[in-house]
């Protein structure tokens, strides 16, 4: 008997049917869903619909209350640490794409320590390790070595790299990695191939099944998301939530987070196909929160200052700050090419102050550590 995985669930849904359903949702259905005690994926679809945007004030208020009830008035802060920009894939929206002739760089042991020291001086305790996909040079052995070197500097290490095998996720777990993030980019299977024409990433199903391997390995937290701007964000977000819904029921010991990367300018890349406004993004965040009270909601520096200031009290639970999206960006090689342009360039101190001014507490370590008092 083969193990069940998300692919089996996914195959029961059609992209065009979901698109149709979203268009047909009525205001009455949105209101009824808002009043329900426990919410299903069908309710999420209603919150996501075009007509639900008329209820944005009510939804924002509910989002604020639900987030405060579950997470308190706190925002967890973290910073990314780019390990390498080597990549064997062609992704048409990314500055690190194989066909982009940039100088490739992978941090050495000494350089990892230099970057860690700078982040530590900024009071960063939670770091997100990021790389492209270069399995031979930046594979599991590289990651395990990097984690060993970085452990003394950080309380919490998350990782966002190429999809790995279950056994490799197990090794990351044993090495003390707290969370693994992997984004499907788009759940539109045909369009996916156009954005990912070459390399391992062009295998849609292998990527789709990755969170199952992460869950089976027992990783504490799993982060999902889609690249907003590639396809219709409403339909893509429905599938992303469907994925989270399945994972939560299957790997109930793990926690889940969602991120909302909106396509940003980068060297040699395409323009967004579907532009998502700030109001759309707020609706999406509210839809996730009202549907799922336990979900962690992470907001990166891709977003602009104004949006980030406002979202502190509207559903966010984690934010990156002072981010550099190039390997060596903090100290070693400040000029190397970024994966994408960040939008909010304020320092860690400035972000902490903005959070405090909003009446929230910036948290430099993980939730679990805060709640268990360790
Ligand atoms: S998105 Fe990831 S896999 Fe694709 S080119 Fe960029 S770094 Fe490589």
């Amino acid at each position: 008997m083969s193990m069940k995985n998300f692919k089996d669930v996914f195959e029961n849904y059609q992209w065009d049917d979901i698109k149709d359903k979203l268009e047909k949702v009525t205001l009455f259905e949105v209101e009824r869903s808002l009043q329900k005690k426990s919410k299903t994926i069908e309710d999420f679809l209603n919150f996501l619909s075009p007509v639900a945007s008329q209820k944005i004030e009510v939804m924002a208020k509910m989002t604020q209350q639900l987030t405060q009830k579950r997470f308190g008035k706190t925002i967890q802060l973290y910073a990314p640490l780019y390990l390498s920009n080597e990549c064997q894939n062609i992704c048409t929206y990314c500055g690190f794409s194989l066909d982009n002739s940039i100088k490739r760089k992978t941090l050495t042991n000494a350089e990892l320590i230099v970057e860690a020291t700078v982040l530590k001086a900024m009071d960063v305790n939670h770091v997100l390790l990021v790389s492209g996909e270069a399995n031979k040079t930046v594979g599991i052995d590289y990651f395990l070595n990097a984690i060993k070197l970085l452990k003394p500097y950080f309380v919490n290490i998350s990782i966002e790299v190429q999809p790995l095998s279950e056994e490799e996720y197990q090794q990351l777990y044993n090495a003390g990695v707290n969370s693994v993030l992997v984004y499907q980019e788009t759940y539109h299977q045909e369009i996916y191939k156009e954005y990912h024409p070459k390399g391992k990433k062009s295998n849609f199903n292998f990527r789709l099944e990755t969170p199952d391997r992460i869950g089976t390995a027992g990783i504490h937290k799993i982060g999902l998301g889609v690249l907003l701007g590639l396809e219709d964000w409403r339909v893509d977000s429905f599938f992303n939530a469907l994925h989270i819904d399945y994972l939560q029921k299957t790997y109930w010991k793990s926690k889940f987070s969602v991120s909302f990367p909106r396509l940003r300018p980068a060297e040699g890349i395409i323009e967004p196909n579907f532009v998502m406004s700030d109001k759309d993004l707020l609706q999406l965040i509210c839809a996730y929160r009202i549907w799922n009270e336990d979900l962690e909601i992470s907001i990166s520096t891709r977003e602009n200052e104004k949006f980030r200031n406002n979202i502190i009290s509207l559903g966010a639970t984690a934010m990156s700050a002072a981010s550099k999206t190039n390997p060596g960006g903090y100290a070693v090689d400040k000029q190397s090419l970024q994966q994408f342009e960040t939008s909010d360039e304020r320092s860690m101190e400035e972000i902490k102050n903005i959070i405090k001014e909003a009446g929230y507490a910036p948290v430099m370590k993980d939730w679990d550590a805060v709640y268990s008092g360790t």
Side-chain angles (χ1 to χ4, degrees), residues 5 26 56 78 116 149 154 157 169 228-229 244 277 322 341 374:
N5 65 44
T26 65
I56 193 70
Y78 70 95
L149 289 170
F154 304 104
I157 297 182
Y169 285 126
L228 300 161
I244 293 172
S277 70
E341 284 173 29
T374 52

Side-chain angles (χ1 to χ4, degrees), residues 83 106 109 112 129 131-149 159 161-177 180 200 214 217 219:
L83 305 172
T106 297
N109 287 354
L112 280 168
L129 307 183
S131 78
E133 174 155 5
N135 288 301
K136 288 208 182 93
T137 43
V138 194
I140 187 70
D141 294 339
Y142 180 92
F143 299 133
L144 292 173
N145 176 63
I147 291 159
K148 203 168 104 196
L149 289 170
I159 192 161
V161 300
Q162 70 270 35
L164 302 170
S165 68
E166 188 188 317
E167 192 193 344
E168 289 167 333
Y169 285 126
Q170 193 73 55
Q171 287 176 282
L172 292 182
Y173 174 87
N174 293 338
V177 165
V180 178
K200 260 191 116 177
I214 304 171
I219 298 280

Side-chain angles (χ1 to χ4, degrees), residues 330-362:
Y330 295 103
V332 170
D333 184 4
K334 292 188 183 177
Q335 299 309 317
S336 75
L337 185 96
Q338 298 186 0
Q339 188 187 27
F340 58 88
E341 284 173 29
T342 55
S343 186
D344 183 349
E345 299 189 339
R346 290 173 294 183
S347 70
M348 189 60 83
E349 272 317 299
E350 283 174 280
I351 298 295
K352 277 192 203 169
N353 287 333
I354 297 286
I355 293 172
K356 285 181 199 155
E357 277 164 27
Y360 282 63

